[in-house]
Amino acid sequence: MTAPFARGRCLCGAVSYVIKAKPVRMVQCHCKDCQRSSGTGHISNALFRQEDVEISGATSSYAVMADSGNTLTRHFCPVCGGRVYNFTTARAGLISVTVGTLDDNSWFSPDAVLYIKRRADWDITRMDVPNFEAMPPPVR
């Protein structure tokens, strides 16, 4: 049996996950919704094929309509409130895991930085990867 690529959990451990393969994309997002849901200047997400992620534990969710008109559904632990992952109708078949919930996230390196038009002056992010004013077209 092959070792999993990564493991993670919410703050209290009621929701956990195992990831079998490397991400298909890694991003940081500075949109106002991500700022509010993370409580800081941006959120870092790694996107995986949904079939490569096994989730244990029940989550609560909150859905919003994005600027694009797509629905983004964030899943979080109903016990500790920790945001763990999300789905968007723009990228069917992919799950976006909140990088801070990974047991080891040392491999994370964003492919892109999104919504720089909303980036706070004090939130410094990488400039050596593509930076987008808003959401670029989906990458498959």
Side-chain angles (χ1 to χ4, degrees), residues 70-91:
N70 293 299
T71 301
L72 177 73
T73 305
R74 293 176 177 90
H75 288 260
F76 53 94
C77 175
V79 178
C80 68
R83 178 179 168 178
V84 184
Y85 61 93
N86 70 68
F87 295 105
T88 177
T89 56
R91 292 174 187 82

Side-chain angles (χ1 to χ4, degrees), residues 9-10 28 38 43 62-63 78 104 139:
R9 64 181 184 86
C10 66
Q28 288 182 325
S38 70
I43 198 153
Y62 182 72
D104 175 13
V139 174

Side-chain angles (χ1 to χ4, degrees), residues 6-51:
R7 295 176 185 275
R9 64 181 184 86
C10 66
L11 181 62
C12 72
V15 178
S16 63
Y17 57 85
V18 175
I19 302 170
K20 301 176 199 170
K22 292 181 179 182
V24 297
R25 188 153 195 220
M26 296 177 274
V27 300
Q28 288 182 325
C29 184
H30 291 272
C31 79
K32 202 62 178 167
D33 282 355
C34 284
Q35 289 178 27
R36 286 189 173 114
S37 71
S38 70
T40 190
H42 69 273
I43 198 153
S44 298
N45 288 318
L47 286 76
F48 299 91
R49 291 186 335 220
Q50 195 169 341
E51 64 265 19

Side-chain angles (χ1 to χ4, degrees), residues 2-9 16-23 26 46 48 52-55 97-99 101-108:
T2 308
F5 172 73
R7 295 176 185 275
R9 64 181 184 86
S16 63
Y17 57 85
V18 175
I19 302 170
K20 301 176 199 170
K22 292 181 179 182
M26 296 177 274
F48 299 91
D52 291 335
V53 181
E54 294 177 11
I55 298 166
V97 173
T98 306
V99 173
T101 64
L102 289 154
D103 293 343
D104 175 13
N105 57 22
S106 60
W107 50 264
F108 179 78

